[in-house]
Amino acid sequence: MKIKKAIIPIAGKGTRFLPATKEIAKEIIPIINVPMIHYIVQEAVEAGIEQIIFVTSSGKFSVEDYFDRNLELEAYLERNNKIKELELIRKIGSMVEITSVRQKEQLGLGHAVLMAKNMVEGEPFAVLLGDDIIVNSKPAIKQLMEVSVEKNGAPVIGVMEVPKEDTAKYGIVAGEVLDSRTLKMSEMVEKPNPKDAPTNLATPGRYILTPEIFEILENIPRGAGNEYQLTDAINILCKRKPVYAYKFEGERFDTGNVDGYLDATIDFALKNPETREKFIQSLKYRIKKHGITL
Ligand code: UTP
């Protein structure tokens, strides 16, 4: 069965990015000149997703506007013969069908996903978190879709190995190893201390889920941080039916925090031929200017 819909929850407060997120949606903050959310939506579109469902909150209108047409800007660019720019912004405006639903209170990721229940209409769906940019020639979410199809439409959770001392930052999965990349999950634990973590396989925000998850989300109590955790619901789901974890191929940047954002910016500046030389020159000059010895 083809997975056509993706939920992208963007209702969070982005406190790790204050003060910018006081007035700007975190997802619109650009890496060089492309908003972070563009990469997430692009990953979904390249994987064949036809409809994006944003779970939004107040102050996130700019994310919806970004993927809409801007006829006034298009007319301006056309009048001024800026054809390259015109094509670029038209392409963004017609990238994919966007719908949105509000999460009126920020009660956690599990609650945010539940808000989109009526929009996925009983089909398996993808969930992508905007804080994790994953770079790979085959989109990470596409890799999970393929495993899901292979496993008769089962839920599949994207995982990556992290240093054992970092397990408290992530949802961590455990299960029976089926091959070098796939596990049949037995449990998922939210942010365990390294000594309690069953593995070092973390879940950086890529999921293929099935509609049973909504009934679970409707009934779970609040979990870690007094929020409704998607992790808790997946933990229940994998006790009821086969759920797989898949070690996707790709480099992941945690752009939800300033360190990860900086790392992504440097990497993107270096890999783009248009910015590489300028970046290296500037870096050399500034290292010297600030008297830094490497
Ligand atoms: P986070 O808690 O990591 O992100 O949620 P945040 O709230 O945006 O940022 P910080 O932690 O305060 O800096 C992971 C994802 O889930 C969404 C967030 O928007 C983010 O994409 N989310 C989280 C919701 O949509 N609703 C919620 O109630 C909580």
Side-chain angles (χ1 to χ4, degrees):
M1 182 172 186
K2 190 171 176 329
I3 294 165
K4 291 178 281 195
K5 298 185 181 184
I7 300 175
I8 306 186
I10 58 167
K13 298 255 177 251
T15 52
R16 288 168 294 165
F17 247 99
L18 283 168
T21 44
K22 178 172 172 282
E23 297 303 330
I24 297 171
K26 175 172 66 178
E27 297 72 20
I28 288 296
I29 296 174
I31 295 187
I32 323 264
N33 58 344
V34 178
M36 296 198 251
I37 192 71
H38 185 114
Y39 293 103
I40 310 299
V41 170
Q42 187 169 299
E43 177 185 333
V45 170
E46 284 174 6
I49 291 292
E50 294 167 12
Q51 188 186 353
I52 301 282
I53 302 155
F54 285 127
V55 181
T56 69
S57 55
S58 61
K60 299 283 179 163
F61 59 88
S62 55
V63 178
E64 289 159 277
D65 284 354
Y66 179 78
F67 292 101
D68 199 356
R69 297 273 303 270
N70 181 337
L71 299 179
E72 207 182 314
L73 179 60
E74 287 180 26
Y76 170 84
L77 294 171
E78 200 160 17
R79 270 199 316 276
N80 290 279
N81 211 24
K82 291 182 180 288
I83 302 305
K84 207 172 122 210
E85 291 82 354
L86 177 64
E87 280 172 3
L88 176 70
I89 69 145
R90 274 198 179 139
K91 212 167 139 197
I92 296 167
S94 58
M95 227 166 144
V96 66
E97 185 190 333
I98 302 276
T99 46
S100 64
V101 58
R102 282 288 260 244
Q103 184 191 26
K104 293 181 184 166
E105 243 186 302
Q106 281 57 69
L107 299 179
L109 177 59
H111 181 258
V113 169
L114 181 58
M115 296 298 103
K117 177 184 171 187
N118 292 337
M119 296 176 126
V120 296
E121 293 162 348
E123 298 169 28
F125 56 94
V127 177
L128 296 92
L129 299 193
D131 286 351
D132 299 290
I133 294 181
I134 302 173
V135 180
N136 197 59
S137 54
K138 183 191 277 189
I141 199 74
K142 172 91 178 154
Q143 298 174 45
L144 305 191
M145 286 176 179
E146 289 179 357
V147 178
S148 179
V149 168
E150 201 180 285
K151 306 283 183 199
N152 298 319
V156 182
I157 316 299
V159 294
M160 63 177 196
E161 289 183 27
V162 296
K164 191 86 182 175
E165 61 270 22
D166 287 349
T167 56
K169 294 184 195 157
Y170 300 95
I172 297 287
V173 307
E176 178 195 346
V177 176
L178 300 183
D179 61 43
S180 62
R181 292 198 174 272
T182 323
L183 278 85
K184 189 170 172 202
M185 276 174 58
S186 58
E187 63 169 331
M188 184 163 172
V189 196
E190 183 66 16
K191 302 185 175 151
N193 288 322
K195 65 172 176 38
D196 304 323
T199 66
N200 67 337
L201 293 174
T203 56
R206 294 294 183 276
Y207 312 83
I208 302 297
L209 295 172
T210 48
E212 298 96 312
I213 199 78
F214 294 119
E215 181 263 308
I216 300 175
L217 286 169
E218 276 164 340
N219 291 295
I220 52 169
R222 291 181 191 232
N226 203 27
E227 293 186 336
Y228 294 99
Q229 297 290 352
L230 184 60
T231 304
D232 293 344
I234 293 172
N235 197 25
I236 295 171
L237 186 65
C238 72
K239 293 193 165 68
R240 289 190 187 170
K241 64 179 275 182
V243 176
Y244 297 88
Y246 183 75
K247 281 189 227 173
F248 58 81
E249 273 180 65
E251 184 171 14
R252 175 257 190 177
F253 296 95
D254 178 6
T255 50
N257 70 66
V258 173
D259 283 358
Y261 170 77
L262 199 56
D263 195 28
T265 306
I266 293 169
D267 188 76
F268 284 36
L270 283 173
K271 76 179 174 204
N272 182 347
E274 282 178 28
T275 48
R276 182 184 299 139
E277 277 318 307
K278 173 67 199 154
F279 178 77
I280 293 170
Q281 270 175 24
S282 174
L283 191 61
K284 280 184 183 159
Y285 170 74
R286 307 239 157 238
I287 285 173
K288 200 166 158 201
K289 180 183 157 194
H290 294 290
I292 298 165
T293 35
L294 294 174

